[in-house]
Amino acid sequence: MREPALAASAMAYHPFHAPRPADFPMSAFLAAAQPSFFPALALPPGALAKPLPDPGLAGAAAAAAAAAAAAEAGLHVSALGPHPPAAHLRSLKSLEPEDEVEDDPKVTLEAKELWDQFHKLGTEMVITKSGRRMFPPFKVRVSGLDKKAKYILLMDIVAADDCRYKFHNSRWMVAGKADPEMPKRMYIHPDSPATGEQWMAKPVAFHKLKLTNNISDKHGFADVPPGGGSFFFGGGSLHLYLSQAPGKWERGTILNSMHKYQPRFHIVRANDILKLPYSTFRTYVFPETDFIAVTAYQNDKITQLKIDNNPFAKGFRDTGNGRREKRKQLTLPSLRLYEEHCKPERDGAESDASSCDPAPAREPPASPGSAPSPLRLHRTRAEEKCAADSDPEPERLSEERAGPALGRSPALDSGSPPRLTEPERARERRSPERGKEPAESGGDGPFGLRSLEKERAEARRKDDGRKEAGEGKEPGLAPLVVQTDSASPLGAGHLPGLAFSGHLHGQQFFGPLGAGQPLFLHPGQFAMGPGAFSAMGMGHLLASVAGGGGGGGGGGPGTATGLDAGGLGPAASAASTPAPFPFHLSQHMLASQGIPMPTFGGLFPYPYTYMAAAAAAASALPATSAAAAAAAAAGSLSRSHFLGSARPRLRFSPYQIPVTIPPSTSLLTTGLAAEGSKAAGSNSREPSPLPELALRKVGAPSRGALSPSGSAKEAASELQSIQRLVSGLENQRALSPGRESPK
DNA sequence: TCTCTCACTTC
DNA sequence: TGAAGTGAGAG
């Protein structure tokens, strides 16, 4: 092994792993933690967020060019490739995941009825600079885990399609192509890792996860409030950010306003986060949890639903004495009269209702049981629209999305929780345009009627709720439908990490190294809760880094508190630099994990930035690069592989590198083809040629896309950057006394 | 569209 | 008691 490989091997060491390997000098570690380190490898996400020219020959050519450039430059970047060298693997032996998964996890979405209600209207989630929680909260119940085994539970939110939306005429409709994706993060449940028994004991809530649109830095570094920090982990990042409130660690996932997203839940059987990259991810998607991110609510019905169900919005309820009502009373005499008329009844009806309780199910006809999931259905079409033409097509999408609800009369009307005054309020506070919304004006009757209807609806919705729960919804289990048909939105290339099966309801998707079924669902970036740190014994490292001062800054006293649960020591608290402190971990991890976010038609999330670099590096590996190039030339290996698989389970290893395919490609067919083509698949523990291929396709080509005429040059330049970085690390390592290069 | 402040709520 | 989470509404 060449020296560089050793260096890279050291880099592969996870900064949060304790104890720090002898061959990984803290100086190098700190260097890696320097904010400047990461950017050096990064490309502007926007640049990468472009469709790949062609996953086939073009990719191969670009990869070849990169390889040539690398060779010419004499760069020692092989170790930065996607596959850890054998020695490296040996050194990480202890990090290998459990061998076979003997458990059979089942995941159920909590408050499904509530989600369903929102889903029918096209759920909106407010995103703010400081971050907003999801509502309804994403909460799942897990069963079937090995009680003794430890698991890491994660969640991420990925783009559901590559469209941008607008709310027009009370409907959500496609408004064009999606903006470049924001840096993606994976949120590791703060209790991770914990035993199966612990996870199964109670619902697993991800309510701490916050949604934000706050990225002040395109590289994803500054997207944290003052005092925040990011941990780059394996090419992605272990992203944490500190809220401005000392002592509070918060996690944020960056979303684009007016874009649709799909939360995903992952179960990883691993007792250490270090094993994450080598472990099998089982991913669960609940179609009813998709939503459109907004900075301000668009759909009054959603607003009202939230107000009615979110405890924190109680002040806005009709029954409350919140400002909203008070204001109204001051400004709207007619409403005041109306409310006086309704109040007693409303009070009676709601006084006891827990705001957290699932709201009544609504509009039976729109129930998922009777029709394809709106999400699935519409997404496919929307996708077509997006791909072909971003011209909005007013009716279709929203109809599909909202089902009968928006199509004819407001769902709220016939079904349920619409509050009596909602329409009036809407008119009052919304622009004239909104007031004209057909659905609203058509559906809302006179006060009296509304009132009566509401009563009926109240009664009805209970029934419906029961029915829904008991009938078409597979009560209790497997709420998610993932299907094999290409109509599946997730399968249509938008949520590449998923495998779809007609009978696989909301069940897991394994990404497969061995099976050769890459599950491209693993974001390379993670956000973690404090608990996770402690559990993983990373506290001391954080402290070290922070204390080391170098790149560190962890954020002040708050840091300590925040990580406190995480065992962050005094050292960390001592570091009060508010600057972000990215930790660069390992290129190969990056390669494997960094790609995974869904990339629509080549819209690469941040991690791809790394990939580009890694890809170039990978090309320096003669053996693998050749194979990769060949594979790339062969074409269509794509992230849709998983789709082609009818097998209910796909073993997924984050080391798999996804490849993008033209948006128009049929996932199903591509997947099938791909499956065949990669039949020679590798074992999940071994480096597979696929990653290389992926790297080329994802990395090199994208570079090519950036600068079609100078991809080789760029690659060379990129590689030189890498070389500088690597040599920098090497130097630091060399300077570090008492450190022997592992051989 | 987005950001900020506000009054209100929960915890 | 106060931090934090809400939507409204102004700008």
Side-chain angles (χ1 to χ4, degrees), chain A residues 475-712:
Chain A
L477 277 188
L480 163 62
V481 183
V482 187
Q483 35 182 87
T484 47
D485 66 277
S486 58
S488 168
L490 302 184
H494 294 136
L495 292 178
L498 301 175
F500 299 90
S501 162
H503 15 268
L504 246 195
H505 230 250
Q507 289 317 304
Q508 68 238 37
F509 307 99
F510 290 79
L513 231 84
Q517 292 283 353
L519 234 199
F520 305 125
L521 49 78
H522 184 42
Q525 299 192 321
F526 300 84
M528 296 180 59
F533 278 102
S534 63
M536 291 181 275
M538 303 191 289
H540 75 283
L541 272 170
L542 289 174
S544 301
V545 172
T559 308
T561 322
L563 280 178
D564 161 51
L568 187 53
S573 22
S576 54
T577 314
F581 44 117
F583 290 166
H584 179 264
L585 193 41
S586 77
Q587 288 301 317
H588 82 263
M589 286 170 86
L590 134 78
S592 60
Q593 298 212 23
I595 316 205
M597 294 322 270
T599 55
F600 306 114
L603 296 181
F604 295 126
Y606 181 55
Y608 281 91
T609 294
Y610 260 112
M611 291 313 303
S619 0
L621 284 174
T624 50
S625 68
S636 58
L637 188 48
S638 81
R639 58 183 175 186
S640 61
H641 292 172
F642 63 90
L643 238 201
S645 163
R647 57 172 75 105
R649 295 175 162 202
L650 294 178
R651 182 174 176 81
F652 164 64
S653 163
Y655 270 106
Q656 273 303 339
I657 309 299
V659 203
T660 58
I661 56 172
S664 57
T665 303
S666 158
L667 284 191
L668 185 54
T669 52
T670 305
L672 290 168
E675 175 150 33
S677 75
K678 60 181 165 49
S682 52
N683 159 330
S684 64
R685 293 287 158 58
E686 292 175 341
S688 151
L690 290 180
E692 245 85 19
L693 169 58
L695 279 177
R696 291 167 181 291
K697 288 195 169 188
V698 170
S702 65
R703 304 282 289 154
L706 288 178
S707 175
S709 61
S711 60

Side-chain angles (χ1 to χ4, degrees), chain A residues 204-279:
Chain A
V204 181
F206 288 87
H207 61 280
K208 293 286 187 184
L209 173 67
K210 289 191 172 183
L211 312 181
T212 183
N213 58 348
N214 183 20
I215 69 165
S216 47
D217 179 305
K218 289 183 178 178
H219 291 288
F221 300 110
D223 55 344
V224 292
S230 298
F231 299 87
F232 291 96
F233 165 56
S237 76
L238 228 179
H239 193 104
L240 290 182
Y241 70 79
L242 278 173
S243 73
Q244 296 175 34
K248 283 282 183 178
W249 277 95
E250 292 180 350
R251 283 67 60 180
T253 192
I254 305 170
L255 306 178
N256 272 325
S257 182
M258 313 306 273
H259 287 62
K260 186 181 292 181
Y261 292 93
Q262 174 68 63
R264 303 186 304 189
F265 172 66
H266 314 275
I267 296 177
V268 178
R269 182 171 179 163
N271 55 20
D272 191 307
I273 191 169
L274 266 178
K275 295 182 179 178
L276 226 37
Y278 309 89
S279 303

Side-chain angles (χ1 to χ4, degrees), chain A residues 96-108:
Chain A
E96 285 182 3
E98 336 283 310
D99 264 337
E100 279 309 315
V101 179
E102 297 168 0
D103 47 15
D104 184 25
K106 295 283 189 301
V107 180
T108 307

Side-chain angles (χ1 to χ4, degrees), chain A residues 173-363:
Chain A
M173 59 182 69
V174 173
K177 273 282 192 184
D179 294 339
E181 275 211 74
M182 294 293 109
K184 284 292 176 286
R185 303 161 176 170
M186 186 165 273
Y187 174 69
I188 301 177
H189 193 285
D191 293 343
S192 301
T195 63
E197 187 169 22
Q198 290 173 304
W199 289 123
M200 293 187 291
K202 59 188 177 190
V204 181
F206 288 87
H207 61 280
K208 293 286 187 184
L209 173 67
K210 289 191 172 183
L211 312 181
T212 183
N213 58 348
N214 183 20
I215 69 165
S216 47
D217 179 305
K218 289 183 178 178
H219 291 288
F221 300 110
D223 55 344
V224 292
S230 298
F231 299 87
F232 291 96
F233 165 56
S237 76
L238 228 179
H239 193 104
L240 290 182
Y241 70 79
L242 278 173
S243 73
Q244 296 175 34
K248 283 282 183 178
W249 277 95
E250 292 180 350
R251 283 67 60 180
T253 192
I254 305 170
L255 306 178
N256 272 325
S257 182
M258 313 306 273
H259 287 62
K260 186 181 292 181
Y261 292 93
Q262 174 68 63
R264 303 186 304 189
F265 172 66
H266 314 275
I267 296 177
V268 178
R269 182 171 179 163
N271 55 20
D272 191 307
I273 191 169
L274 266 178
K275 295 182 179 178
L276 226 37
Y278 309 89
S279 303
T280 295
F281 274 62
R282 275 174 284 199
T283 297
Y284 302 78
V285 171
F286 302 90
E288 58 269 57
T289 61
D290 75 340
F291 62 86
I292 292 177
V294 296
T295 53
Y297 284 120
Q298 307 291 311
N299 188 343
D300 293 331
K301 297 178 182 66
I302 289 292
T303 309
Q304 197 57 43
L305 255 188
K306 295 224 177 189
I307 288 173
D308 291 341
N309 291 281
N310 192 329
F312 289 104
K314 199 172 180 179
F316 299 104
R317 292 181 193 173
D318 297 337
T319 48
N321 293 316
R323 176 178 59 168
R324 188 185 183 194
E325 181 155 344
K326 285 173 183 169
R327 282 190 182 178
K328 211 179 344 177
Q329 287 174 346
L330 289 175
T331 60
L332 255 191
S334 61
L335 277 182
R336 191 165 61 241
L337 286 174
Y338 159 61
E339 281 165 3
E340 281 167 8
H341 166 72
C342 301
K343 194 133 191 169
E345 156 197 351
R346 299 186 56 69
D347 285 346
E350 295 192 320
S351 58
D352 293 333
S354 160
S355 53
C356 282
D357 287 345
R362 56 178 66 205
E363 192 113 10

Side-chain angles (χ1 to χ4, degrees), chain A residues 390-476:
Chain A
S390 24
D391 263 359
E393 201 176 325
E395 311 306 305
R396 230 202 212 150
L397 180 68
S398 54
E399 279 178 8
E400 291 162 357
R401 153 60 88 172
L406 292 179
R408 37 184 178 77
S409 69
L412 291 177
D413 274 8
S414 56
S416 57
R419 294 311 170 188
L420 304 178
T421 60
E422 189 270 324
E424 286 66 37
R425 283 201 183 118
R427 285 190 204 106
E428 173 193 351
R429 67 176 184 258
R430 299 291 183 183
S431 66
E433 181 185 332
R434 279 189 195 166
K436 282 184 274 180
E437 293 175 4
E440 286 210 346
S441 56
D444 298 334
F447 292 157
L449 287 179
R450 284 287 285 175
S451 182
L452 285 173
E453 182 169 354
K454 190 207 170 224
E455 284 182 352
R456 278 187 240 118
E458 291 287 342
R460 208 184 317 151
R461 71 189 188 189
K462 280 172 188 161
D463 276 352
D464 293 343
R466 277 192 293 270
K467 273 190 215 159
E468 224 171 356
E471 294 174 3
K473 301 219 171 174
E474 295 191 48

